[in-house]
Amino acid sequence: MFNAKGLIEACHLLIVDDSLDELRLLKTLLDAHHFRLSVAFDGLQGYQRAQTLRPDLILMDVRMPKVDGFAACRLLKADPKTHNIPVVFLSAANAPEERLTGLSIGGVDYVTKPFLAEEVLARVRIHLRLAGRPERTGDMATVADAALDPDEVLLQAGIELIRRRLGEPLTVDEIATRLGSYEKKLSALFRQRTGLTVFAFLREERLRTARQWLAETDTGVQDIAEQLGFQNAGNFATAFRERFGLTPTAYRKSVRAGHPIED
């Protein structure tokens, strides 16, 4: 990737964008600097090509048909073959919450359109140098190349999304959409591989997280209930007691006394 002076040499970039005009603009810019380029026209195609081509960096649009850039990034980060590839979002979706979403799900940068060519080039070079991935050898290669089947990648991406959004009132359809999938498939996948429905898995993660916070922090029961998406402290206390046999307050006291309950 780099020569003896640390200069980038013919790195392979994957551009994922459904706009032909944007693709032409980026191709002209990056061709002039001798990058090797591949393209994809939606998030799913981008994810699939990243699996096969293993580019050094991905430039990813957000608003695309079929599977958007956020869904594609979630899949990329859930797959051992692609999770280390830097993803730079390059999008007209420039609301603060969209930029924060892009960075929180694993993007290394977020550039808004219309962009300055010099800025894109500078950020590409920065993240290629930061990535600086050495050639994989031995056991590391085995781990990095360990292929998960597509359903397992989708499941892991779903689990990660749920864990990051425990406090949000998510529906199964919303979760599936954020993964570029659909409700029926995601529901069946969770039942088959976790033995739980999506909602049951979400509830279990909320309660396990609540138990950890009760044991390790001084956060109030009301605040824990609100932050983890329960309607109120009463509903939280009821759910916690049904799952663990103690109210949240009683559990915290048992931990402080050195008698934590076992799962």
Side-chain angles (χ1 to χ4, degrees), residues 243-257:
R243 175 64 177 84
F244 298 115
L246 292 173
T247 66
T249 301
Y251 173 71
R252 174 170 274 164
K253 289 180 179 178
S254 73
V255 171
R256 299 290 194 271

Side-chain angles (χ1 to χ4, degrees), residues 33 37 40 54 58 62 77 87 102 111 118 125 129 146 154 171 183 193 196 208 215 224 228 236 245 256:
H33 293 273
L37 303 177
R54 305 285 192 91
I58 299 171
V62 172
K77 297 307 171 182
V87 176
V111 182
E118 294 82 0
R125 285 173 166 164
R129 288 194 175 97
L154 179 61
T171 67
E183 182 178 350
R193 303 209 177 187
L196 299 171
R208 286 179 180 274
I224 291 175
L228 292 178
F236 167 50
R256 299 290 194 271

Side-chain angles (χ1 to χ4, degrees), residues 21-96:
D21 289 338
E22 297 288 352
L23 285 170
R24 291 191 190 99
L25 182 61
L26 287 168
K27 187 174 187 304
T28 299
L29 167 66
L30 297 169
D31 271 342
H33 293 273
H34 311 294
F35 290 101
R36 293 187 296 123
L37 303 177
S38 298
V39 299
F41 300 98
D42 65 63
L44 181 58
Q45 186 181 57
Y47 166 59
Q48 292 171 337
R49 291 194 173 176
Q51 283 184 304
T52 302
L53 300 173
R54 305 285 192 91
D56 297 301
L57 182 142
I58 299 171
L59 289 170
M60 180 82 75
D61 191 18
V62 172
R63 295 172 181 166
M64 294 180 286
K66 298 180 181 178
V67 175
D68 68 20
F70 290 158
C73 186
R74 289 186 177 101
L75 296 175
L76 287 164
K77 297 307 171 182
D79 191 329
K81 294 176 68 176
T82 57
H83 78 278
N84 282 332
I85 301 173
V87 176
V88 175
F89 287 104
L90 195 61
S91 175
N94 60 3

Side-chain angles (χ1 to χ4, degrees), residues 130-147:
L130 288 174
R133 298 193 306 277
E135 290 299 318
R136 295 184 299 271
T137 57
D139 292 340
M140 291 182 63
T142 302
V143 172
D145 291 337

